[in-house]
């Protein structure tokens, strides 16, 4: 089903969830890292934040930045799954306001009762789960009930984070590990379906007469790889420093690389909207392997976390958001030079930030600042490229779904 013809700029913005929520993702990527850089350099003491600052940073990047991207993707996708009109108008506006309110209360948590902070921050996840659940039920789309369960788990991890702020930081740390692994599994399962599928469709269209092998679609090998990742995730959430955990994580990373080798990535290097998805999977495998090394206490856990958080998560978000924003507004699926630069910069950021965790002293500070600056350039360019698309009507509203 397609978006309704907009009567105003506001109605355009609120015609489909990907529009305001991808906008939130881009703005959050710039604002949150600007604030974090100001904290690291001592320009801002962040006295308004009650949460330990490292915990705040992790929470906001996962539940704020990534959370808005998940919402934008799912709200755009669910209308296709159910053949219903997209969630739009007042319900969508309330969802966006809940997301914004969550960011505001987390920034001003020192001035508010923490129970109120937690309740407001949880609203976005609860409302998103309710909206997706309603669409899935109304559309009779039973096979996607698992998406509702996934959103419920995402919100439960957020709840556990806030519980930990009151009753023990170890619960908050477990919640952060939990949501990191949940997002890794989402990339492996959802991204692991769309990446070879998009690649296959592109190669068939581009080379219809070619006798070269096509990407292997999701099959039993992918299921086995996902089971390994699930076992590694559960082990890391419960016991992050443990030889068994380390072995499982290293194996999970290697098996992600193996599955990528079946997707014919070398044949799509001229198509940025595809190679960024493949590159994100390379970072996923690398990040899991680095986490495995940290479980053996060989390196700092931050190296693996940022390889996953920036290279895999942010890379996948920018790739999927770019493709979805173009496709859902009936624009040609062409990345353009600016987004090629963004995709390259986000991987450079991942490399710099991961490397920072492997050095000490002055080198650490140089790597951290460099990574933050490159990230800000990348996310600013993303906003410059996509804000006009997200707030403007599609070139043709005959079929703009």
């Amino acid at each position: 089903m397609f978006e309704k013809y907009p009567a105003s700029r506001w109605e355009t913005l609120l015609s489909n969830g990907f529009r305001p929520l991808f906008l939130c993702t881009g703005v959050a990527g710039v604002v949150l890292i600007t604030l974090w850089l100001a904290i690291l350099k001592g320009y801002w003491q962040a006295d308004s934040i009650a949460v330990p600052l490292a915990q705040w940073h992790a929470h906001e990047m996962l539940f704020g930045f990534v959370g808005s991207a998940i919402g934008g993707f799912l709200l755009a996708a669910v209308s296709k799954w159910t053949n219903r009109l997209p969630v739009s108008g007042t319900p969508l506006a309330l969802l966006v306001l809940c997301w914004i309110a969550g960011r505001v209360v987390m920034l001003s948590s020192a001035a508010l009762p923490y129970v109120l902070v937690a309740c407001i921050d949880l609203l976005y996840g609860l409302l998103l789960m309710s909206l997706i659940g309603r669409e899935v039920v109304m559309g009779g789309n039973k096979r996607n009930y698992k998406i509702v369960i996934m959103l419920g788990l995402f919100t439960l991890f957020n709840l556990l984070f806030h519980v930990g702020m009151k009753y023990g930081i170890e619960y908050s740390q477990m919640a952060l590990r939990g949501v990191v692994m949940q997002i890794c599994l989402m990339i492996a399962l959802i991204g692991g379906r769309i990446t070879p599928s998009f690649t296959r469709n592109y190669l068939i269209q581009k080379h219809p007469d070619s006798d070269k092998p096509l990407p292997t679609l999701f099959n039993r090998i992918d299921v086995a790889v996902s089971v390994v990742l699930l076992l590694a995730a559960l082990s890391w959430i419960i016991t992050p420093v443990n030889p068994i955990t380390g072995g499982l994580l290293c194996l999970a990373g290697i098996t992600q690389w193996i599955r990528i080798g079946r997707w014919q990535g070398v044949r799509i290097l001229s198509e940025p909207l595809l190679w960024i998805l493949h590159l994100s999977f390379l970072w996923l495998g690398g990040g899991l392997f680095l986490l495995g090394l940290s479980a053996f206490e060989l390196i700092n856990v931050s190296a693996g976390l940022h390889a996953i958080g920036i290279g895999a998560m942010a890379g996948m978000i920018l790739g999927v958001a770019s493709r979805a924003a173009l496709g859902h507004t009936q624009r040609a699926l062409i990345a353009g030079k600016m987004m090629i630069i963004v995709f390259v910069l986000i991987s450079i950021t991942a490399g710099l930030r991961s490397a920072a965790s492997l050095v000490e002293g002055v080198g650490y500070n140089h790597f951290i600042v460099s990574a933050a600056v490159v990230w800000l350039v990348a996310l600013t360019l993303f906003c410059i490229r996509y804000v006009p698309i997200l707030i403007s009507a599609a070139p043709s509203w005959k079929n703009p779904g």
Side-chain angles (χ1 to χ4, degrees), residues 185-228:
L185 283 162
M186 289 171 61
I187 293 173
L189 292 170
I190 300 175
R193 290 180 183 274
I194 66 173
T195 300
S197 177
F198 289 164
T199 303
R200 188 184 184 93
N201 293 340
Y202 170 82
L203 290 175
I204 290 173
Q205 182 179 26
K206 195 77 172 179
H207 309 287
D209 300 322
S210 175
D211 58 358
K212 293 182 180 180
L214 292 170
T216 304
L217 299 181
F218 199 93
N219 61 18
R220 285 178 292 182
I221 293 176
D222 299 276
V223 172
V225 169
S226 299
V227 169
V228 172

Side-chain angles (χ1 to χ4, degrees), residues 48-388:
S48 63
I49 302 175
V51 174
L53 295 180
Q55 304 290 316
W56 170 81
H57 170 62
H59 178 277
E60 290 303 279
M61 294 309 294
L62 291 167
F63 292 103
F65 174 75
V66 177
S68 61
I70 289 173
F73 169 76
L74 290 179
L75 286 172
V78 75
S79 66
K80 300 294 186 182
W81 299 337
T82 60
N83 200 35
R84 287 169 54 82
L85 285 171
V87 174
S88 60
T90 301
L92 181 55
L94 288 173
L95 180 67
V96 175
L97 288 174
C98 286
W99 182 88
I100 294 172
R103 311 290 62 77
V104 171
V105 297
M106 288 299 292
L107 267 175
S108 54
S109 53
L112 299 168
Y114 197 78
V115 171
L116 178 62
V117 172
C119 288
I120 292 175
D121 184 51
L122 288 167
L123 288 176
Y124 170 75
L126 291 170
L127 183 53
L128 177 61
M129 180 176 63
S130 299
L131 290 173
I132 296 293
R134 182 194 68 181
E135 295 303 300
V136 169
V137 171
M138 294 294 289
N141 192 241
K142 293 183 179 180
R143 72 188 187 93
N144 280 313
Y145 284 177
K146 59 182 178 288
I147 299 297
V148 183
I149 296 172
M150 177 202 74
L151 290 173
L153 182 61
F154 188 80
T155 305
L156 281 175
F157 281 132
N158 198 9
L159 174 62
L160 181 60
F161 175 89
H162 291 298
V163 169
M165 288 297 109
K166 296 294 289 183
Y167 299 105
I169 194 70
E170 64 273 13
Y171 296 114
S172 295
Q173 293 169 340
M174 181 178 287
L176 293 173
R177 291 197 300 273
V179 77
V180 165
M181 283 296 120
Q182 181 185 0
I183 297 167
C184 285
L185 283 162
M186 289 171 61
I187 293 173
L189 292 170
I190 300 175
R193 290 180 183 274
I194 66 173
T195 300
S197 177
F198 289 164
T199 303
R200 188 184 184 93
N201 293 340
Y202 170 82
L203 290 175
I204 290 173
Q205 182 179 26
K206 195 77 172 179
H207 309 287
D209 300 322
S210 175
D211 58 358
K212 293 182 180 180
L214 292 170
T216 304
L217 299 181
F218 199 93
N219 61 18
R220 285 178 292 182
I221 293 176
D222 299 276
V223 172
V225 169
S226 299
V227 169
V228 172
L229 177 54
L230 176 61
L231 293 174
L234 292 173
S235 186
W236 188 66
I237 292 169
I238 299 169
T239 55
V241 180
N242 182 284
I244 295 175
T245 299
L248 286 170
L249 284 167
C250 288
L251 180 60
I254 292 169
T255 53
Q256 291 298 327
W257 285 334
I258 290 172
R259 76 191 296 217
I260 299 169
R262 301 153 60 234
W263 294 347
Q264 303 297 315
V266 294
R267 297 177 61 195
I268 48 84
L269 295 180
S270 61
E271 181 45 64
L273 291 176
L274 288 177
W275 62 247
I276 184 58
L277 305 182
H278 290 251
L279 184 57
S280 299
F281 265 94
L282 286 174
W283 278 110
L284 177 62
L288 290 169
F289 192 85
L290 290 173
L291 278 186
L293 296 182
S294 73
F296 287 114
E297 298 187 273
L298 297 175
I299 63 171
N300 192 310
V301 67
S302 181
L305 286 174
H306 286 94
I308 291 171
I310 301 171
M313 293 183 193
M316 186 64 70
I317 285 169
L318 292 172
V320 171
S322 298
R323 188 183 189 93
L326 294 172
H328 283 284
T329 58
Q330 291 297 286
R331 290 174 169 86
L333 295 179
I334 299 173
K337 293 180 180 179
M338 188 177 294
M339 285 310 298
I340 294 174
I341 294 172
V342 170
F343 296 156
V344 171
L345 290 180
I346 213 66
S347 269
I348 292 174
T349 304
L352 289 170
R353 184 58 188 86
S354 298
S357 303
L358 305 177
V359 299
E360 297 178 353
V362 176
Y364 173 83
N365 291 325
H366 288 333
F367 274 115
I368 287 285
V369 172
S370 298
V373 170
V374 176
W375 168 281
L376 289 173
V377 172
L379 268 293
T380 299
L381 291 176
F382 172 79
C383 290
I384 291 171
R385 175 73 174 93
Y386 277 96
V387 167

